[in-house]
PDB file of all heavy atoms in Angstrom:
ATOM      1  N   GLY A 294      -2.743   6.146  -7.869  1.00 98.00           N
ATOM      2  CA  GLY A 294      -1.581   6.967  -7.588  1.00 98.00           C
ATOM      3  C   GLY A 294      -0.329   6.377  -8.173  1.00 98.00           C
ATOM      4  O   GLY A 294      -0.323   5.206  -8.601  1.00 98.00           O
ATOM      5  N   ASN A 295       0.733   7.169  -8.182  1.00 98.00           N
ATOM      6  CA  ASN A 295       2.051   6.723  -8.616  1.00 98.00           C
ATOM      7  C   ASN A 295       2.632   5.857  -7.488  1.00 98.00           C
ATOM      8  O   ASN A 295       3.467   6.291  -6.709  1.00 98.00           O
ATOM      9  CB  ASN A 295       2.918   7.948  -8.890  1.00 98.00           C
ATOM     10  CG  ASN A 295       4.091   7.610  -9.751  1.00 98.00           C
ATOM     11  OD1 ASN A 295       5.183   7.316  -9.270  1.00 98.00           O
ATOM     12  ND2 ASN A 295       3.887   7.629 -11.051  1.00 98.00           N
ATOM     13  N   GLY A 296       2.114   4.642  -7.396  1.00 98.00           N
ATOM     14  CA  GLY A 296       2.394   3.792  -6.237  1.00 98.00           C
ATOM     15  C   GLY A 296       1.487   4.195  -5.093  1.00 98.00           C
ATOM     16  O   GLY A 296       0.957   5.308  -5.082  1.00 98.00           O
ATOM     17  N   SER A 297       1.256   3.272  -4.137  1.00 97.00           N
ATOM     18  CA  SER A 297       0.451   3.697  -2.997  1.00 97.00           C
ATOM     19  C   SER A 297       1.199   4.716  -2.155  1.00 97.00           C
ATOM     20  O   SER A 297       0.617   5.444  -1.378  1.00 97.00           O
ATOM     21  CB  SER A 297      -0.061   2.536  -2.157  1.00 97.00           C
ATOM     22  OG  SER A 297       0.788   1.440  -2.191  1.00 97.00           O
ATOM     23  N   ASP A 298       2.514   4.794  -2.341  1.00 97.00           N
ATOM     24  CA  ASP A 298       3.275   5.817  -1.630  1.00 97.00           C
ATOM     25  C   ASP A 298       2.752   7.231  -1.955  1.00 97.00           C
ATOM     26  O   ASP A 298       2.656   8.082  -1.075  1.00 97.00           O
ATOM     27  CB  ASP A 298       4.755   5.730  -1.984  1.00 97.00           C
ATOM     28  CG  ASP A 298       5.394   4.466  -1.392  1.00 97.00           C
ATOM     29  OD1 ASP A 298       4.732   3.771  -0.604  1.00 97.00           O
ATOM     30  OD2 ASP A 298       6.546   4.181  -1.733  1.00 97.00           O
ATOM     31  N   GLU A 299       2.382   7.446  -3.219  1.00 98.00           N
ATOM     32  CA  GLU A 299       1.837   8.777  -3.549  1.00 98.00           C
ATOM     33  C   GLU A 299       0.489   9.001  -2.863  1.00 98.00           C
ATOM     34  O   GLU A 299       0.153  10.129  -2.483  1.00 98.00           O
ATOM     35  CB  GLU A 299       1.660   8.951  -5.075  1.00 98.00           C
ATOM     36  CG  GLU A 299       1.251  10.393  -5.405  1.00 98.00           C
ATOM     37  CD  GLU A 299       0.851  10.604  -6.869  1.00 98.00           C
ATOM     38  OE1 GLU A 299       0.314   9.700  -7.505  1.00 98.00           O
ATOM     39  OE2 GLU A 299       1.089  11.722  -7.362  1.00 98.00           O
ATOM     40  N   ILE A 301      -0.393   7.863   0.070  1.00 98.00           N
ATOM     41  CA  ILE A 301      -0.096   8.245   1.462  1.00 98.00           C
ATOM     42  C   ILE A 301       0.136   9.755   1.522  1.00 98.00           C
ATOM     43  O   ILE A 301      -0.424  10.470   2.357  1.00 98.00           O
ATOM     44  CB  ILE A 301       1.187   7.523   1.984  1.00 98.00           C
ATOM     45  CG1 ILE A 301       1.000   6.009   1.987  1.00 98.00           C
ATOM     46  CG2 ILE A 301       1.557   8.020   3.396  1.00 98.00           C
ATOM     47  CD1 ILE A 301       2.300   5.237   2.262  1.00 98.00           C
ATOM     48  N   THR A 322       5.772  -0.892  11.977  1.00 98.00           N
ATOM     49  CA  THR A 322       4.998  -0.916  10.750  1.00 98.00           C
ATOM     50  C   THR A 322       5.775  -0.243   9.625  1.00 98.00           C
ATOM     51  O   THR A 322       6.937   0.135   9.818  1.00 98.00           O
ATOM     52  CB  THR A 322       3.606  -0.273  10.961  1.00 98.00           C
ATOM     53  OG1 THR A 322       2.779  -0.554   9.839  1.00 98.00           O
ATOM     54  CG2 THR A 322       3.703   1.236  11.138  1.00 98.00           C
ATOM     55  N   TYR A 323       5.145  -0.085   8.491  1.00 98.00           N
ATOM     56  CA  TYR A 323       5.746   0.527   7.306  1.00 98.00           C
ATOM     57  C   TYR A 323       6.229   1.923   7.662  1.00 98.00           C
ATOM     58  O   TYR A 323       5.472   2.728   8.221  1.00 98.00           O
ATOM     59  CB  TYR A 323       4.660   0.596   6.243  1.00 98.00           C
ATOM     60  CG  TYR A 323       5.106   0.871   4.828  1.00 98.00           C
ATOM     61  CD1 TYR A 323       6.172   0.200   4.254  1.00 98.00           C
ATOM     62  CD2 TYR A 323       4.404   1.797   4.041  1.00 98.00           C
ATOM     63  CE1 TYR A 323       6.540   0.439   2.939  1.00 98.00           C
ATOM     64  CE2 TYR A 323       4.764   2.026   2.726  1.00 98.00           C
ATOM     65  CZ  TYR A 323       5.836   1.343   2.179  1.00 98.00           C
ATOM     66  OH  TYR A 323       6.191   1.580   0.878  1.00 98.00           O
ATOM     67  N   SER A 324       7.475   2.228   7.336  1.00 97.00           N
ATOM     68  CA  SER A 324       8.058   3.483   7.800  1.00 97.00           C
ATOM     69  C   SER A 324       7.613   4.698   6.986  1.00 97.00           C
ATOM     70  O   SER A 324       7.743   5.835   7.453  1.00 97.00           O
ATOM     71  CB  SER A 324       9.578   3.388   7.778  1.00 97.00           C
ATOM     72  OG  SER A 324      10.015   3.151   6.453  1.00 97.00           O
ATOM     73  N   LEU A 325       7.073   4.481   5.775  1.00 98.00           N
ATOM     74  CA  LEU A 325       6.800   5.630   4.923  1.00 98.00           C
ATOM     75  C   LEU A 325       5.642   6.522   5.396  1.00 98.00           C
ATOM     76  O   LEU A 325       5.551   7.680   4.993  1.00 98.00           O
ATOM     77  CB  LEU A 325       6.577   5.187   3.469  1.00 98.00           C
ATOM     78  CG  LEU A 325       7.887   4.873   2.734  1.00 98.00           C
ATOM     79  CD1 LEU A 325       7.620   4.484   1.286  1.00 98.00           C
ATOM     80  CD2 LEU A 325       8.860   6.034   2.766  1.00 98.00           C
ATOM     81  N   TYR A 326       4.768   5.997   6.275  1.00 98.00           N
ATOM     82  CA  TYR A 326       3.728   6.879   6.828  1.00 98.00           C
ATOM     83  C   TYR A 326       4.402   8.025   7.580  1.00 98.00           C
ATOM     84  O   TYR A 326       4.070   9.202   7.405  1.00 98.00           O
ATOM     85  CB  TYR A 326       2.770   6.138   7.785  1.00 98.00           C
ATOM     86  CG  TYR A 326       2.299   4.792   7.281  1.00 98.00           C
ATOM     87  CD1 TYR A 326       2.292   3.675   8.135  1.00 98.00           C
ATOM     88  CD2 TYR A 326       1.864   4.626   5.976  1.00 98.00           C
ATOM     89  CE1 TYR A 326       1.853   2.441   7.691  1.00 98.00           C
ATOM     90  CE2 TYR A 326       1.433   3.385   5.516  1.00 98.00           C
ATOM     91  CZ  TYR A 326       1.431   2.297   6.394  1.00 98.00           C
ATOM     92  OH  TYR A 326       1.031   1.070   5.944  1.00 98.00           O
ATOM     93  N   CYS A 364      -1.972  -1.088   8.971  1.00 98.00           N
ATOM     94  CA  CYS A 364      -1.457  -1.867   7.854  1.00 98.00           C
ATOM     95  C   CYS A 364      -1.876  -3.323   8.084  1.00 98.00           C
ATOM     96  O   CYS A 364      -1.553  -3.896   9.112  1.00 98.00           O
ATOM     97  CB  CYS A 364       0.070  -1.728   7.813  1.00 98.00           C
ATOM     98  SG  CYS A 364       0.829  -2.474   6.376  1.00 98.00           S
ATOM     99  N   PRO A 366      -2.519  -7.087   5.849  1.00 98.00           N
ATOM    100  CA  PRO A 366      -1.499  -7.628   6.749  1.00 98.00           C
ATOM    101  C   PRO A 366      -0.358  -6.631   6.914  1.00 98.00           C
ATOM    102  O   PRO A 366      -0.003  -5.928   5.977  1.00 98.00           O
ATOM    103  CB  PRO A 366      -1.002  -8.867   6.021  1.00 98.00           C
ATOM    104  CG  PRO A 366      -2.088  -9.246   5.049  1.00 98.00           C
ATOM    105  CD  PRO A 366      -2.738  -7.950   4.663  1.00 98.00           C
ATOM    106  N   ASN A 367       0.193  -6.607   8.126  1.00 98.00           N
ATOM    107  CA  ASN A 367       1.173  -5.583   8.469  1.00 98.00           C
ATOM    108  C   ASN A 367       2.583  -5.940   7.994  1.00 98.00           C
ATOM    109  O   ASN A 367       3.000  -7.086   8.097  1.00 98.00           O
ATOM    110  CB  ASN A 367       1.178  -5.389   9.996  1.00 98.00           C
ATOM    111  CG  ASN A 367       2.051  -4.223  10.444  1.00 98.00           C
ATOM    112  OD1 ASN A 367       2.138  -3.203   9.777  1.00 98.00           O
ATOM    113  ND2 ASN A 367       2.706  -4.387  11.575  1.00 98.00           N
ATOM    114  N   ASN A 368       3.267  -4.937   7.501  1.00 98.00           N
ATOM    115  CA  ASN A 368       4.696  -5.024   7.195  1.00 98.00           C
ATOM    116  C   ASN A 368       5.425  -4.370   8.374  1.00 98.00           C
ATOM    117  O   ASN A 368       5.159  -3.193   8.637  1.00 98.00           O
ATOM    118  CB  ASN A 368       4.965  -4.256   5.894  1.00 98.00           C
ATOM    119  CG  ASN A 368       6.431  -4.223   5.522  1.00 98.00           C
ATOM    120  OD1 ASN A 368       7.265  -4.813   6.198  1.00 98.00           O
ATOM    121  ND2 ASN A 368       6.753  -3.520   4.461  1.00 98.00           N
ATOM    122  N   ASP A 393      -3.853   0.161   4.996  1.00 98.00           N
ATOM    123  CA  ASP A 393      -2.947  -0.211   3.923  1.00 98.00           C
ATOM    124  C   ASP A 393      -3.012  -1.725   3.682  1.00 98.00           C
ATOM    125  O   ASP A 393      -2.592  -2.521   4.526  1.00 98.00           O
ATOM    126  CB  ASP A 393      -1.513   0.224   4.312  1.00 98.00           C
ATOM    127  CG  ASP A 393      -0.511   0.021   3.184  1.00 98.00           C
ATOM    128  OD1 ASP A 393      -0.812  -0.696   2.214  1.00 98.00           O
ATOM    129  OD2 ASP A 393       0.599   0.584   3.304  1.00 98.00           O
ATOM    130  N   GLU A 394      -3.570  -2.092   2.534  1.00 98.00           N
ATOM    131  CA  GLU A 394      -3.722  -3.521   2.189  1.00 98.00           C
ATOM    132  C   GLU A 394      -2.735  -3.947   1.092  1.00 98.00           C
ATOM    133  O   GLU A 394      -3.090  -4.725   0.195  1.00 98.00           O
ATOM    134  CB  GLU A 394      -5.167  -3.792   1.726  1.00 98.00           C
ATOM    135  CG  GLU A 394      -6.193  -3.704   2.832  1.00 98.00           C
ATOM    136  CD  GLU A 394      -7.574  -4.218   2.421  1.00 98.00           C
ATOM    137  OE1 GLU A 394      -7.891  -4.219   1.208  1.00 98.00           O
ATOM    138  OE2 GLU A 394      -8.338  -4.620   3.329  1.00 98.00           O
ATOM    139  N   ALA A 395      -1.494  -3.498   1.184  1.00 98.00           N
ATOM    140  CA  ALA A 395      -0.506  -3.826   0.149  1.00 98.00           C
ATOM    141  C   ALA A 395      -0.351  -5.329  -0.049  1.00 98.00           C
ATOM    142  O   ALA A 395      -0.055  -5.787  -1.159  1.00 98.00           O
ATOM    143  CB  ALA A 395       0.847  -3.198   0.497  1.00 98.00           C
ATOM    144  N   TYR A 396      -0.558  -6.124   1.017  1.00 98.00           N
ATOM    145  CA  TYR A 396      -0.329  -7.572   0.939  1.00 98.00           C
ATOM    146  C   TYR A 396      -1.616  -8.376   0.909  1.00 98.00           C
ATOM    147  O   TYR A 396      -1.610  -9.577   1.116  1.00 98.00           O
ATOM    148  CB  TYR A 396       0.550  -8.005   2.118  1.00 98.00           C
ATOM    149  CG  TYR A 396       1.899  -7.353   2.045  1.00 98.00           C
ATOM    150  CD1 TYR A 396       2.169  -6.181   2.765  1.00 98.00           C
ATOM    151  CD2 TYR A 396       2.913  -7.865   1.233  1.00 98.00           C
ATOM    152  CE1 TYR A 396       3.391  -5.548   2.676  1.00 98.00           C
ATOM    153  CE2 TYR A 396       4.130  -7.248   1.128  1.00 98.00           C
ATOM    154  CZ  TYR A 396       4.369  -6.084   1.860  1.00 98.00           C
ATOM    155  OH  TYR A 396       5.590  -5.452   1.735  1.00 98.00           O
ATOM    156  N   MET A 418      -5.865   1.449   1.005  1.00 98.00           N
ATOM    157  CA  MET A 418      -4.831   1.536  -0.035  1.00 98.00           C
ATOM    158  C   MET A 418      -4.448   0.131  -0.491  1.00 98.00           C
ATOM    159  O   MET A 418      -4.305  -0.779   0.323  1.00 98.00           O
ATOM    160  CB  MET A 418      -3.589   2.242   0.498  1.00 98.00           C
ATOM    161  CG  MET A 418      -3.847   3.679   0.908  1.00 98.00           C
ATOM    162  SD  MET A 418      -2.330   4.573   1.245  1.00 98.00           S
ATOM    163  CE  MET A 418      -1.693   3.644   2.619  1.00 98.00           C
ATOM    164  N   GLN A 419      -4.291  -0.015  -1.798  1.00 98.00           N
ATOM    165  CA  GLN A 419      -3.851  -1.292  -2.385  1.00 98.00           C
ATOM    166  C   GLN A 419      -2.805  -0.975  -3.448  1.00 98.00           C
ATOM    167  O   GLN A 419      -2.626   0.187  -3.808  1.00 98.00           O
ATOM    168  CB  GLN A 419      -5.067  -2.029  -2.980  1.00 98.00           C
ATOM    169  CG  GLN A 419      -6.081  -2.394  -1.885  1.00 98.00           C
ATOM    170  CD  GLN A 419      -7.412  -2.876  -2.409  1.00 98.00           C
ATOM    171  OE1 GLN A 419      -7.761  -2.641  -3.567  1.00 98.00           O
ATOM    172  NE2 GLN A 419      -8.159  -3.555  -1.565  1.00 98.00           N
ATOM    173  N   THR A 420      -2.142  -2.000  -3.941  1.00 98.00           N
ATOM    174  CA  THR A 420      -1.039  -1.738  -4.870  1.00 98.00           C
ATOM    175  C   THR A 420      -0.875  -2.885  -5.864  1.00 98.00           C
ATOM    176  O   THR A 420      -1.295  -4.007  -5.594  1.00 98.00           O
ATOM    177  CB  THR A 420       0.288  -1.559  -4.069  1.00 98.00           C
ATOM    178  OG1 THR A 420       1.358  -1.298  -4.984  1.00 98.00           O
ATOM    179  CG2 THR A 420       0.641  -2.816  -3.264  1.00 98.00           C
ATOM    180  N   LEU A 421      -0.270  -2.547  -7.013  1.00 98.00           N
ATOM    181  CA  LEU A 421       0.109  -3.593  -7.964  1.00 98.00           C
ATOM    182  C   LEU A 421       1.589  -4.006  -7.763  1.00 98.00           C
ATOM    183  O   LEU A 421       2.120  -4.803  -8.540  1.00 98.00           O
ATOM    184  CB  LEU A 421      -0.103  -3.116  -9.399  1.00 98.00           C
ATOM    185  CG  LEU A 421      -1.550  -2.766  -9.796  1.00 98.00           C
ATOM    186  CD1 LEU A 421      -1.610  -2.408 -11.297  1.00 98.00           C
ATOM    187  CD2 LEU A 421      -2.507  -3.909  -9.496  1.00 98.00           C
ATOM    188  N   SER A 422       2.227  -3.443  -6.742  1.00 98.00           N
ATOM    189  CA  SER A 422       3.664  -3.662  -6.572  1.00 98.00           C
ATOM    190  C   SER A 422       4.060  -5.010  -6.009  1.00 98.00           C
ATOM    191  O   SER A 422       5.224  -5.401  -6.079  1.00 98.00           O
ATOM    192  CB  SER A 422       4.264  -2.588  -5.648  1.00 98.00           C
ATOM    193  OG  SER A 422       4.164  -1.308  -6.222  1.00 98.00           O
ATOM    194  N   LYS A 423       3.135  -5.731  -5.391  1.00 98.00           N
ATOM    195  CA  LYS A 423       3.522  -6.974  -4.712  1.00 98.00           C
ATOM    196  C   LYS A 423       3.012  -8.186  -5.511  1.00 98.00           C
ATOM    197  O   LYS A 423       3.684  -8.635  -6.406  1.00 98.00           O
ATOM    198  CB  LYS A 423       3.020  -6.941  -3.281  1.00 98.00           C
ATOM    199  CG  LYS A 423       3.515  -5.718  -2.492  1.00 98.00           C
ATOM    200  CD  LYS A 423       4.995  -5.802  -2.159  1.00 98.00           C
ATOM    201  CE  LYS A 423       5.677  -4.468  -1.974  1.00 98.00           C
ATOM    202  NZ  LYS A 423       5.241  -3.669  -0.846  1.00 98.00           N
ATOM    203  N   LEU A 427       4.260  -5.747 -10.385  1.00 98.00           N
ATOM    204  CA  LEU A 427       4.461  -4.544 -11.209  1.00 98.00           C
ATOM    205  C   LEU A 427       5.040  -3.377 -10.427  1.00 98.00           C
ATOM    206  O   LEU A 427       4.685  -2.215 -10.676  1.00 98.00           O
ATOM    207  CB  LEU A 427       3.114  -4.147 -11.836  1.00 98.00           C
ATOM    208  CG  LEU A 427       2.573  -5.110 -12.923  1.00 98.00           C
ATOM    209  CD1 LEU A 427       1.152  -4.713 -13.331  1.00 98.00           C
ATOM    210  CD2 LEU A 427       3.490  -5.112 -14.141  1.00 98.00           C
ATOM    211  N   ALA A 428       5.962  -3.660  -9.506  1.00 98.00           N
ATOM    212  CA  ALA A 428       6.525  -2.582  -8.680  1.00 98.00           C
ATOM    213  C   ALA A 428       7.131  -1.470  -9.528  1.00 98.00           C
ATOM    214  O   ALA A 428       7.096  -0.288  -9.172  1.00 98.00           O
ATOM    215  CB  ALA A 428       7.569  -3.148  -7.720  1.00 98.00           C
ATOM    216  N   ARG A 431       4.824   1.593 -10.867  1.00 98.00           N
ATOM    217  CA  ARG A 431       4.312   2.497  -9.840  1.00 98.00           C
ATOM    218  C   ARG A 431       2.804   2.743  -9.963  1.00 98.00           C
ATOM    219  O   ARG A 431       2.367   3.830 -10.396  1.00 98.00           O
ATOM    220  CB  ARG A 431       5.069   3.866  -9.885  1.00 98.00           C
ATOM    221  CG  ARG A 431       6.570   3.794  -9.967  1.00 98.00           C
ATOM    222  CD  ARG A 431       7.180   3.034  -8.804  1.00 98.00           C
ATOM    223  NE  ARG A 431       6.784   3.575  -7.515  1.00 98.00           N
ATOM    224  CZ  ARG A 431       6.251   2.850  -6.527  1.00 98.00           C
ATOM    225  NH1 ARG A 431       6.044   1.553  -6.665  1.00 98.00           N
ATOM    226  NH2 ARG A 431       5.930   3.426  -5.383  1.00 98.00           N
ATOM    227  N   VAL A 432       2.027   1.762  -9.615  1.00 98.00           N
ATOM    228  CA  VAL A 432       0.574   1.946  -9.583  1.00 98.00           C
ATOM    229  C   VAL A 432       0.011   1.447  -8.258  1.00 98.00           C
ATOM    230  O   VAL A 432       0.197   0.284  -7.892  1.00 98.00           O
ATOM    231  CB  VAL A 432      -0.124   1.204 -10.746  1.00 98.00           C
ATOM    232  CG1 VAL A 432      -1.650   1.372 -10.622  1.00 98.00           C
ATOM    233  CG2 VAL A 432       0.333   1.757 -12.103  1.00 98.00           C
ATOM    234  N   GLY A 433      -0.643   2.360  -7.548  1.00 98.00           N
ATOM    235  CA  GLY A 433      -1.324   2.023  -6.306  1.00 98.00           C
ATOM    236  C   GLY A 433      -2.725   2.614  -6.347  1.00 98.00           C
ATOM    237  O   GLY A 433      -3.006   3.505  -7.156  1.00 98.00           O
ATOM    238  N   PHE A 434      -3.603   2.115  -5.480  1.00 98.00           N
ATOM    239  CA  PHE A 434      -4.990   2.577  -5.490  1.00 98.00           C
ATOM    240  C   PHE A 434      -5.431   3.017  -4.113  1.00 98.00           C
ATOM    241  O   PHE A 434      -4.951   2.513  -3.101  1.00 98.00           O
ATOM    242  CB  PHE A 434      -5.924   1.464  -5.963  1.00 98.00           C
ATOM    243  CG  PHE A 434      -5.676   1.020  -7.370  1.00 98.00           C
ATOM    244  CD1 PHE A 434      -4.924  -0.118  -7.613  1.00 98.00           C
ATOM    245  CD2 PHE A 434      -6.146   1.762  -8.439  1.00 98.00           C
ATOM    246  CE1 PHE A 434      -4.661  -0.525  -8.908  1.00 98.00           C
ATOM    247  CE2 PHE A 434      -5.879   1.366  -9.745  1.00 98.00           C
ATOM    248  CZ  PHE A 434      -5.147   0.228  -9.987  1.00 98.00           C
ATOM    249  N   PHE A 506       6.202 -12.630   2.762  1.00 98.00           N
ATOM    250  CA  PHE A 506       7.489 -12.585   3.485  1.00 98.00           C
ATOM    251  C   PHE A 506       7.327 -13.251   4.839  1.00 98.00           C
ATOM    252  O   PHE A 506       6.207 -13.479   5.325  1.00 98.00           O
ATOM    253  CB  PHE A 506       7.977 -11.141   3.637  1.00 98.00           C
ATOM    254  CG  PHE A 506       7.029 -10.239   4.409  1.00 98.00           C
ATOM    255  CD1 PHE A 506       6.996 -10.256   5.794  1.00 98.00           C
ATOM    256  CD2 PHE A 506       6.172  -9.381   3.732  1.00 98.00           C
ATOM    257  CE1 PHE A 506       6.127  -9.411   6.499  1.00 98.00           C
ATOM    258  CE2 PHE A 506       5.284  -8.557   4.433  1.00 98.00           C
ATOM    259  CZ  PHE A 506       5.278  -8.572   5.820  1.00 98.00           C
ATOM    260  N   ARG A 542      13.562  -9.776   8.031  1.00 98.00           N
ATOM    261  CA  ARG A 542      12.362  -9.981   7.199  1.00 98.00           C
ATOM    262  C   ARG A 542      12.828 -10.555   5.866  1.00 98.00           C
ATOM    263  O   ARG A 542      13.673  -9.966   5.182  1.00 98.00           O
ATOM    264  CB  ARG A 542      11.640  -8.655   6.963  1.00 98.00           C
ATOM    265  CG  ARG A 542      10.264  -8.815   6.309  1.00 98.00           C
ATOM    266  CD  ARG A 542       9.719  -7.495   5.809  1.00 98.00           C
ATOM    267  NE  ARG A 542      10.510  -7.030   4.692  1.00 98.00           N
ATOM    268  CZ  ARG A 542      10.547  -5.772   4.250  1.00 98.00           C
ATOM    269  NH1 ARG A 542       9.841  -4.838   4.844  1.00 98.00           N
ATOM    270  NH2 ARG A 542      11.287  -5.442   3.217  1.00 98.00           N
TER     271      ARG A 542
HETATM  272  C1  LIG B 298       5.337  -2.519  -0.473  1.00 54.13           C
HETATM  273  C2  LIG B 298       4.360  -1.733   0.320  1.00 54.13           C
HETATM  274  C3  LIG B 298       3.555  -0.766  -0.287  1.00 54.13           C
HETATM  275  C4  LIG B 298       3.649  -0.527  -1.767  1.00 54.13           C
HETATM  276  O1  LIG B 298       3.957   0.757  -2.075  1.00 54.13           O
HETATM  277  P1  LIG B 298       3.908   1.174  -3.635  1.00 54.13           P
HETATM  278  O2  LIG B 298       4.223   2.622  -3.560  1.00 54.13           O
HETATM  279  O3  LIG B 298       2.526   0.900  -4.118  1.00 54.13           O
HETATM  280  O4  LIG B 298       4.926   0.375  -4.353  1.00 54.13           O
HETATM  281  C5  LIG B 298       2.647  -0.085   0.472  1.00 54.13           C
HETATM  282  N1  LIG B 298       2.509  -0.358   1.782  1.00 54.13           N
HETATM  283  C6  LIG B 298       3.246  -1.289   2.392  1.00 54.13           C
HETATM  284  C7  LIG B 298       3.036  -1.588   3.830  1.00 54.13           C
HETATM  285  C8  LIG B 298       4.203  -2.002   1.687  1.00 54.13           C
HETATM  286  O5  LIG B 298       4.955  -2.931   2.314  1.00 54.13           O
END
Side-chain angles (χ1 to χ4, degrees):
N295 199 267
S297 30
D298 290 352
E299 186 188 32
I301 299 170
T322 192
Y323 194 46
S324 61
L325 282 182
Y326 315 135
C364 187
N367 187 36
N368 177 3
D393 187 345
E394 291 191 335
Y396 298 96
M418 297 190 298
Q419 297 169 340
T420 181
L421 298 185
S422 295
K423 303 289 153 65
L427 291 173
R431 312 302 304 128
V432 177
F434 297 98
F506 60 81
R542 190 193 69 199

